[in-house]
């Protein structure tokens, strides 16, 4: 190759390689997850989360293990790992009571405060966020049916009472599903908000005309064409808070992700 052709080619390769070298030298933030949490919450956030972590000086790395991971497996997959190791809620629960693995990594659990264990340096608390559901119903006060269980403490404020249906303790799942269907016939609503699902939902999931907004843990239960959105931890904002805070307990930021966002469209 002629020198006057080779030089620009080498310069172009150098310019392309330099950012990659810089990225590879950044400390890692490892996300240790089970397959279910990865599919329901993590998968559609991973691209944006990777960019967010790069902007904050970390490389996002993902390790998927079984939900019942044991100490031996943990030690093997984390051997020599440094930086942050954030564990999904099921993994956090599985690691409760296990001994410390190495001294280089900062272990972060996700879940309830009661799941905190000596292994974890800090916790991301993922308790229910009633504010998110209130914001969701505020924008659609006459277009949705809000479904709640009998033991649910949260009740939407300033929301039409005839659009709230509560499962009574005396009702079985078949009776409750039938009552919802009767309400839908009387008021032709096609959008259901259901923070918690039960067996009552099975007869309704087969209706092509219904849209659902649910907690992210139920994402795989709803047919993709009928899933309007899920309420889930906003991992970008939550992990950014983790990196910027010195607190040992951090409350996870939750929000509503629409189906368009989950499928890659932000329009």
């Amino acid at each position: 190759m002629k020198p006057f052709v080779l030089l620009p080619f080498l310069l172009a390769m150098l310019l392309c390689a330099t950012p990659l070298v810089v990225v590879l030298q950044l400390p890692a933030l490892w996300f240790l997850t089970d397959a279910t949490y990865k599919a329901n919450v993590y998968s559609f956030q991973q691209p944006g989360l990777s960019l967010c972590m790069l902007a904050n000086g970390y490389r996002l790395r993902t390790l998927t293990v079984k939900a019942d991971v044991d100490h031996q497996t943990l030690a093997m997959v984390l051997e020599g790992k440094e930086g942050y190791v954030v564990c999904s809620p099921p993994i956090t629960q599985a690691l409760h009571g296990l001994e410390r693995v190495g001294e280089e990594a900062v272990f972060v659990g996700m879940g309830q405060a009661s799941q905190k264990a000596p292994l974890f340096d800090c916790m991301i608390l993922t308790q229910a966020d009633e504010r998110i559901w209130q914001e969701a119903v505020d924008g659609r006060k006459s277009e949705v049916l809000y479904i709640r269980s009998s033991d649910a403490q949260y009740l939407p404020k300033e929301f039409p009472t005839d659009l709230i249906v509560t499962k009574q303790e005396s009702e079985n799942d078949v009776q409750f599903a039938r009552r919802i269907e009767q309400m839908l016939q009387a008021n032709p609503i096609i959008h259901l908000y259901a923070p918690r699902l039960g067996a009552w939902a099975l007869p309704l999931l087969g209706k092509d005309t219904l849209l659902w907004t649910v907690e992210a843990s139920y994402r795989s239960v709803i047919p993709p064409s009928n899933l309007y959105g899920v309420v889930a931890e906003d991992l970008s904002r939550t992990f950014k808070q983790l990196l910027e805070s010195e607190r040992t307990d951090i409350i996870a930021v939750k929000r509503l992700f629409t189906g368009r966002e989950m499928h890659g469209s932000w329009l």
Side-chain angles (χ1 to χ4, degrees):
M1 186 177 291
K2 297 180 179 180
F4 65 86
V5 176
L6 181 61
L7 183 58
F9 178 74
L10 293 176
L11 289 175
M13 290 188 62
L14 180 62
L15 290 174
C16 293
T18 300
L20 178 61
V21 172
V22 173
V23 169
L24 292 177
Q25 291 179 341
L26 293 176
L29 186 149
W30 298 88
F31 189 62
L32 194 63
T33 181
D34 58 290
T36 300
Y37 190 88
K38 181 179 180 180
N40 289 341
V41 179
Y42 182 69
S43 60
F44 61 87
Q45 298 190 58
Q46 185 174 6
L49 180 59
S50 296
L51 293 176
C52 179
M53 293 299 97
L54 284 176
N56 284 271
Y58 285 85
R59 287 180 297 138
L60 178 66
R61 306 292 298 276
T62 308
L63 291 171
T64 304
V65 297
K66 294 182 178 180
D68 58 349
V69 59
D70 56 23
H71 183 271
Q72 183 177 1
T73 303
L74 179 67
M76 181 178 63
V77 299
L78 295 180
E79 183 179 1
K81 300 292 191 300
E82 298 180 355
Y84 284 90
V85 177
V86 183
C87 302
S88 68
I91 300 301
T92 298
Q93 188 172 10
L95 299 182
H96 192 277
L98 293 187
E99 299 175 0
R100 181 77 185 184
V101 180
E103 298 296 333
E104 298 82 5
V106 177
F107 283 85
V108 182
M110 293 183 68
Q112 305 301 315
S114 60
Q115 293 177 329
K116 190 171 183 178
L119 175 66
F120 300 111
D121 299 287
C122 56
M123 284 288 294
I124 295 175
L125 305 180
T126 58
Q127 62 260 41
D129 192 341
E130 298 176 351
R131 176 185 55 85
I132 300 301
W133 287 101
Q134 186 66 52
E135 291 177 358
V137 299
D138 281 346
R140 295 175 172 270
K141 288 186 177 180
S142 61
E143 303 173 10
V144 303
L145 190 66
Y146 188 89
I147 304 175
R148 59 195 296 271
S149 57
S150 57
D151 60 347
Q153 298 181 352
Y154 169 66
L155 183 69
K157 300 176 182 178
E158 300 180 0
F159 190 77
T161 56
D162 60 332
L163 297 180
I164 300 175
V165 53
T166 303
K167 187 177 186 294
Q168 305 301 324
E169 293 183 1
S170 59
E171 283 183 306
N172 59 38
D173 291 306
V174 174
Q175 292 171 331
F176 188 49
R178 191 173 300 148
R179 185 155 66 92
I180 294 174
E181 289 180 330
Q182 291 173 349
M183 294 184 69
L184 294 175
Q185 291 174 0
N187 194 338
I189 291 173
I190 64 169
H191 196 156
L192 306 183
Y193 277 20
R196 293 169 60 183
L197 296 183
W200 57 264
L202 295 177
L204 301 171
L205 292 176
K207 295 183 178 296
D208 295 335
T209 57
L210 290 180
L211 293 176
W212 295 79
T213 295
V214 297
E215 283 282 351
S217 57
Y218 300 108
R219 180 188 175 197
S220 59
V221 177
I222 310 297
S225 59
N226 298 100
L227 184 64
Y228 176 83
V230 298
V231 170
E233 293 84 24
D234 187 330
L235 297 179
S236 292
R237 294 172 63 187
T238 300
F239 285 12
K240 186 173 184 292
Q241 183 180 342
L242 169 68
L243 299 177
E244 296 175 347
S245 175
E246 297 181 355
R247 292 175 295 174
T248 56
D249 288 337
I250 297 169
I251 299 177
V253 180
K254 288 191 174 186
R255 76 174 179 90
L256 173 64
F257 292 86
T258 66
R260 288 183 176 182
E261 290 176 274
M262 289 185 285
H263 289 95
S265 173
W266 294 81
L267 298 178

